[in-house]
Amino acid sequence: MSTATAAGVLHVRCAPTLPGEGYREVLELLREFSPLVQALPPRAALVQVRGAQRYFGADAARIAEVVRLRAVARLGTDVRIGVAATWAVASMASARIQGPGGVLAVPAEAVAGFLDPLPVEELYGLGSRQAEALRRYGLHTVGALTHVPPGVVERILGKRAGRLAAERARGIDPRPVTPRDLPSSAAVRTGFTRQELDGPHARAELLGLVVRLGAQLRGRRQAARSLSLTLRFAGGTRWERSRRLAEPSAHDEDLRTLAYRLMDAAGLQRARLTGMVLRAEDLTAAEDVTRQLTLDPVRESRLTVEAAIDRANARFGPGTVRPASVAGPVRRRSDPVEHQPGRLRAQRGGLGLDQVELGLAGEPAGGVPVLDGPAARHRHAGRRRPDGQVQGGGPQGEAVPGALPARDLVAQGVGLGAQPGGALGEAQAEVLVRR
């Protein structure tokens, strides 16, 4: 069988209930074996494994077994894989597999024996009306088509359709596997360890997804034209909605606004959430997006701070600077000093801060103080800077003596601060210091 399938084509069928994100994960898995992967939406794909056979030293059937094993072990989904020398035969082989998964290889010398007994309606590319037309002439099996001249089949089905049917009945299909992906998209997801009933906590988790998705898009130099939010509930039910952005964007502010609208549209009361997925769809290159000039200094400050946060996270690690509402409990003054992942540690000659954290007003969670928010009035105290000035917090909207403005932090590569509603602002930027 190894020589018969040396130039094998894999036709992979996923479960009909597999969600779109799971389908994309299967496509990524297939690319680990070959760059020649052709997506066949909604739940199938073709893979040319000629190069993979030389690399792994195994035939196509063995590679198909490994693909199935990895899909089950890593993605938790089974697949049906047909293996043959042509696209059409591989597709018919995968369709004959019973159950949720399996591998069926058809060697070149066994193609006739595999195809001949198949009902004519199972011939690849043949429609139900065409199959019925052939049955009226007594051609009930695929093998029957090989025993009549191709011209007869062409007179029954038409020249082009008849020629294709006659060729595929004999296992002939010269079409190559052409690399083709699904429309570009990016997705982030989160799952709850227990059924979530707290609306503010679910919204804080959604904000965390927005931050991760925005950073991913900006890192890939892409912008999204639409967002899709999927909510998973206890019992296995799902809710999904999509909306388009006013203009392509990868900025947290734009993504957050639309994501919150999507969640509001769900009308959650006491729904028991088990997870959520936020997906950016219809992506485009960032350089192709026209930036609209604005006279809004607040938005310009937010974008400047966002760029600074990206630089800080790129230098110190993802999630180093992030909204306080998505951070876990923080170390208190009496706790032993230890390294905390996700915190930005100041270096000698830098800002002189032990830890820096971004606070968004109106998003308190996990015992994390919120800068310039309602909780800030009694949640954080001032700290003395090396120059003797007191740096700390005050009531919402008040100027805080000694606080570093965002423009100074941006110059240092870090931008922090908050305004009511979670909007970053330059004039109200402050730093939360813990020693």
Side-chain angles (χ1 to χ4, degrees):
M1 184 187 303
S2 61
T3 58
T5 57
V9 174
L10 274 56
H11 188 277
V12 183
R13 293 180 187 268
C14 302
T17 58
L18 187 68
E21 183 59 27
Y23 178 45
R24 293 178 186 276
E25 291 175 347
V26 172
L27 293 179
E28 291 299 325
L29 173 64
L30 297 177
R31 291 190 184 91
E32 297 178 6
F33 295 87
S34 173
L36 299 177
V37 177
Q38 182 172 343
L40 300 175
R43 297 291 182 269
L46 285 169
V47 190
Q48 174 60 260
V49 294
R50 182 179 304 170
Q53 293 179 70
R54 294 194 297 267
Y55 181 83
F56 291 102
D59 61 16
R62 176 59 178 166
I63 293 175
E65 293 285 359
V66 176
V67 169
R68 183 191 175 200
L69 179 63
R70 292 189 182 181
V72 173
R74 288 165 48 178
L75 306 180
T77 183
D78 208 345
V79 293
R80 295 177 293 162
I81 306 177
V83 184
T86 63
W87 176 343
V89 177
S91 176
M92 286 185 279
S94 65
R96 297 290 296 176
I97 298 174
Q98 302 297 323
V103 175
L104 177 58
V106 182
E109 65 273 11
V111 169
F114 171 73
L115 294 178
D116 287 353
L118 294 181
V120 69
E121 59 267 17
E122 294 190 15
L123 182 63
Y124 181 86
L126 202 66
S128 58
R129 291 186 179 181
Q130 293 172 326
E132 183 61 30
L134 292 174
R135 284 182 174 278
R136 288 199 298 267
Y137 285 88
L139 302 174
H140 297 278
T141 64
V142 174
L145 297 180
T146 65
H147 291 87
V148 298
V152 174
V153 182
E154 292 180 11
R155 284 193 294 270
I156 298 173
L157 301 179
K159 186 173 183 179
R160 183 176 184 278
R163 177 177 55 82
L164 291 177
E167 290 179 349
R168 291 171 183 174
R170 294 170 172 81
I172 301 173
D173 186 6
R175 292 175 299 170
V177 176
T178 305
R180 185 176 66 191
D181 198 3
L182 293 173
S184 182
S185 69
V188 290
R189 62 179 62 197
T190 185
F192 300 110
T193 56
R194 58 184 180 182
Q195 296 175 5
E196 184 59 59
L197 293 171
D198 184 33
H201 183 255
R203 186 170 289 252
E205 289 292 333
L206 179 58
L207 176 62
L209 294 182
V210 167
V211 173
R212 288 167 50 195
L213 183 61
Q216 181 177 345
L217 291 178
R218 294 190 296 273
R220 292 163 51 174
R221 299 185 181 277
Q222 290 182 311
R225 292 189 177 94
S226 65
L227 281 185
S228 172
L229 177 64
T230 302
L231 303 178
R232 298 196 302 269
F233 302 98
T237 58
R238 305 166 66 90
W239 179 93
E240 183 173 356
R241 288 293 186 277
S242 298
R243 286 189 181 181
R244 295 189 70 84
L245 291 151
E247 58 184 13
S249 176
H251 300 303
D252 290 351
E253 177 188 4
D254 302 327
L255 301 179
R256 180 181 67 244
T257 300
L258 188 56
Y260 283 177
R261 290 177 180 173
L262 286 169
M263 175 164 278
D264 292 341
L268 301 179
Q269 297 294 329
R270 297 290 292 173
R272 295 178 296 165
L273 285 173
T274 60
M276 60 179 66
V277 180
L278 184 65
R279 183 178 296 107
E281 299 175 330
D282 198 6
L283 302 185
T284 184
E287 56 267 20
D288 296 337
V289 177
T290 302
R291 180 175 178 182
Q292 183 68 35
L293 295 178
T294 176
L295 299 178
D296 185 1
V298 175
R299 178 175 174 81
E300 293 300 322
S301 297
R302 294 169 187 163
L303 299 183
T304 303
V305 170
E306 181 181 81
I309 292 174
D310 288 343
R311 291 195 297 270
N313 287 334
R315 179 176 179 183
F316 297 100
T320 299
V321 184
R322 64 190 188 277
S325 61
V326 302
V330 298
R331 176 177 60 85
R332 300 189 181 280
R333 192 178 183 87
S334 58
D335 295 339
V337 178
E338 59 182 9
H339 175 68
Q340 299 183 13
R343 304 297 188 195
L344 174 58
R345 295 254 178 209
Q347 299 180 355
R348 294 184 180 273
L351 294 175
L353 308 178
D354 287 336
Q355 294 176 347
V356 181
E357 191 172 87
L358 172 64
L360 294 181
E363 300 287 351
V368 180
V370 178
L371 298 179
D372 259 357
R377 303 184 182 184
H378 55 273
R379 279 296 190 94
H380 73 280
R383 294 283 186 258
R384 188 169 298 277
R385 290 172 46 185
D387 57 6
Q389 296 183 359
V390 175
Q391 177 175 323
Q396 181 177 0
E398 292 184 7
V400 182
L404 291 176
R407 55 179 175 272
D408 294 340
L409 293 173
V410 170
Q412 296 281 353
V414 179
L416 304 175
Q419 286 183 347
L424 299 176
E426 177 177 344
Q428 295 176 319
E430 297 176 8
V431 176
L432 179 62
V433 183
R434 301 184 183 90
R435 298 196 180 277

